[in-house]
Amino acid sequence: MKCLCLVAFLAIVITQSYNDLGVEAASRDGFVSRKGVQFILDGKPFYANGFNAYWLTYEATDPATRFKITYAFQNATSRGLTVARTWGFRDGGYRALQTAPGRYDELTFQGLDFAIAEAKRLGIKMIITFVNNYSDFGGRKQYVEWAKSQGQVANSEDDFYTNPLVKQFFKNHVKTMVDRVNTFTKIAYKDEPTIMAWELMNEPQCKADPSGKTLTAWIGEMATYVKSLDSKHLLSTGLEGFYGDSSPQRKASLNPVAANVLGTDFIANHFFDAIDFASIHSYPDLWFPNLNETSRLEF
Ligand SMILES: *[C@@H]1O[C@H](CO)[C@@H](O)[C@H](O)[C@H]1NC(C)=O
Ligand SMILES: *[C@@H]1O[C@H](CO)[C@@H](O)[C@H](O)[C@H]1NC(C)=O
Ligand SMILES: *[C@@H]1O[C@H](CO)[C@@H](O)[C@H](O)[C@H]1NC(C)=O
């Protein structure tokens, strides 16, 4: 879908028992954390009110267009927006961040550095996504292609979730991201309070396993891995929000498009100690081109 950039995201904290892996304490100054079903910032409830700006790194890679980031953030803060969600990836292709497995373009990375530094300066928190479901800017498909070029056998991009080499590539990318030291602020990403949260993937789906179990297993493994490297930041999945087998009654009524097709299970996919909150992406206009406005609202 071309319009991923238009996704309105709505953050909701999951009701979940307190645990060791999640970020629940409000003790670290400047970090967004959670307490029960509340986001907390500097001891007070924090209400995320934000926007998608997938293009930040791309535009900030060229110093001549960095002003676009500044303008966007200034406009956002002047209207009370507090969170920007952006891509922490561009796998292969023009202005790639990761040019090949484990190889990074320093200038592009400095573009992301700039976006984070500018968010910090202007008081915006960021949600940064590690990879794309879809092939825009690389994504799962590019990871699987990389593995194939190293002799791995793969049937489809859904092997992203199970192929050991691909999983290692992804973990390496996570590690590179959290360990990155920002060239502007001199602070490692994993220690940067401007980052509100990481997201595992933009709109993960796995049609190869409609039960959702393949995706659930991948989320569990990767969420634990992210937290093993970075215990200060919140973590979410990036799912659209389609229910699956763990909530059959909702699957039937609220999920006419995706039920039993996309291999996601919103409840099971979030039921991990290492996943701190959930968000949804809603496109009723795209999903129901033939329904009228009233029916879309009902959905
Ligand atoms: C909003 O962005 C525009 C450029 O698109 C810029 O001229 C203007 O100064 C910005 N407004 C604020 C309040 O920052
Ligand atoms: C996710 O990827 C699959 C291909 O594996 C694709 O069919 C699907 O449309 C993608 N979903 C989104 C929301 O882009
Ligand atoms: C919208 O569509 C629904 C279902 O087809 C129908 O019942 C309803 O009358 C329609 N509403 C309008 C305002 O056209």
Side-chain angles (χ1 to χ4, degrees):
M1 293 182 192
K2 286 202 189 68
C3 25
L4 295 183
C5 48
L6 299 179
V7 169
F9 75 91
L10 167 71
I12 48 173
V13 185
I14 321 174
T15 316
Q16 194 176 311
S17 58
Y18 290 178
N19 55 74
D20 293 335
L21 282 168
V23 178
E24 57 160 281
S27 54
R28 289 181 203 87
D29 270 358
F31 283 91
V32 178
S33 59
R34 67 172 169 82
K35 196 169 186 191
V37 294
Q38 184 80 62
F39 287 130
I40 303 284
L41 175 60
D42 294 332
K44 292 195 287 278
F46 175 71
Y47 296 97
N49 178 16
F51 57 101
N52 267 298
Y54 75 94
W55 48 269
L56 296 176
T57 298
Y58 180 84
E59 295 290 355
T61 298
D62 180 355
T65 49
R66 281 186 182 154
F67 69 92
K68 292 185 185 179
I69 286 81
T70 307
Y71 279 172
F73 286 172
Q74 284 173 343
N75 275 281
T77 52
S78 73
R79 286 160 179 78
L81 300 182
T82 49
V83 181
R85 174 176 179 262
T86 200
W87 292 168
F89 60 85
R90 196 172 180 97
D91 325 298
Y94 181 60
R95 282 196 194 172
L97 174 64
Q98 190 173 193
T99 55
R103 295 235 303 272
Y104 290 81
D105 185 295
E106 177 56 26
L107 283 181
T108 304
F109 233 141
Q110 286 176 16
L112 181 53
D113 289 349
F114 176 83
I116 294 170
E118 200 64 351
K120 190 181 182 83
R121 187 174 74 82
L122 294 167
I124 286 189
K125 298 288 184 189
M126 295 185 83
I127 295 178
I128 301 180
T129 309
F130 288 126
V131 73
N132 208 359
N133 168 78
Y134 208 51
S135 57
D136 295 301
F137 317 118
R140 286 197 287 126
K141 191 165 190 287
Q142 181 62 71
Y143 273 77
V144 171
E145 292 300 324
W146 281 335
K148 280 160 90 173
S149 74
Q150 295 191 15
Q152 298 286 305
V153 178
N155 298 318
S156 79
E157 55 241 56
D158 284 349
D159 286 20
F160 178 91
Y161 300 112
T162 48
N163 179 283
L165 184 62
V166 176
K167 289 204 285 186
Q168 194 55 53
F169 286 165
F170 178 76
K171 287 180 177 173
N172 293 346
H173 177 59
V174 167
K175 184 161 171 42
T176 302
M177 290 287 289
V178 301
D179 285 347
R180 168 78 179 179
V181 176
N182 190 310
T183 51
F184 294 90
T185 64
K186 314 296 178 204
I187 296 172
Y189 286 10
K190 64 182 167 197
D191 297 321
E192 177 53 69
T194 295
I195 297 169
M196 170 182 170
W198 302 111
E199 236 178 41
L200 290 176
M201 190 186 301
N202 177 52
E203 302 186 347
Q205 298 178 1
C206 181
K207 292 178 185 172
D209 179 4
S211 79
K213 292 197 163 41
T214 299
L215 183 57
T216 302
W218 182 85
I219 288 170
E221 178 180 346
M222 296 307 165
T224 304
Y225 181 71
V226 174
K227 290 284 177 164
S228 76
L229 302 177
D230 176 351
S231 57
K232 295 182 181 172
H233 288 113
L234 298 168
L235 178 65
S236 193
T237 62
L239 280 155
E240 288 141 296
F242 297 121
Y243 292 113
D245 288 347
S246 67
S247 40
Q249 66 302 1
R250 289 177 173 171
K251 189 171 79 172
S253 60
L254 287 176
N255 195 3
V257 182
N260 283 329
V261 176
L262 300 179
T264 70
D265 184 336
F266 195 62
I267 302 300
N269 292 159
H270 288 88
F271 209 65
F272 291 103
D273 286 350
I275 298 292
D276 294 291
F277 68 99
S279 63
I280 60 164
H281 300 180
S282 186
Y283 293 106
D285 47 344
L286 287 178
W287 296 337
F288 311 107
N290 299 320
L291 292 192
N292 62 34
E293 207 53 33
T294 315
S295 297
R296 288 178 188 162
L297 265 174
E298 239 163 66
F299 167 80

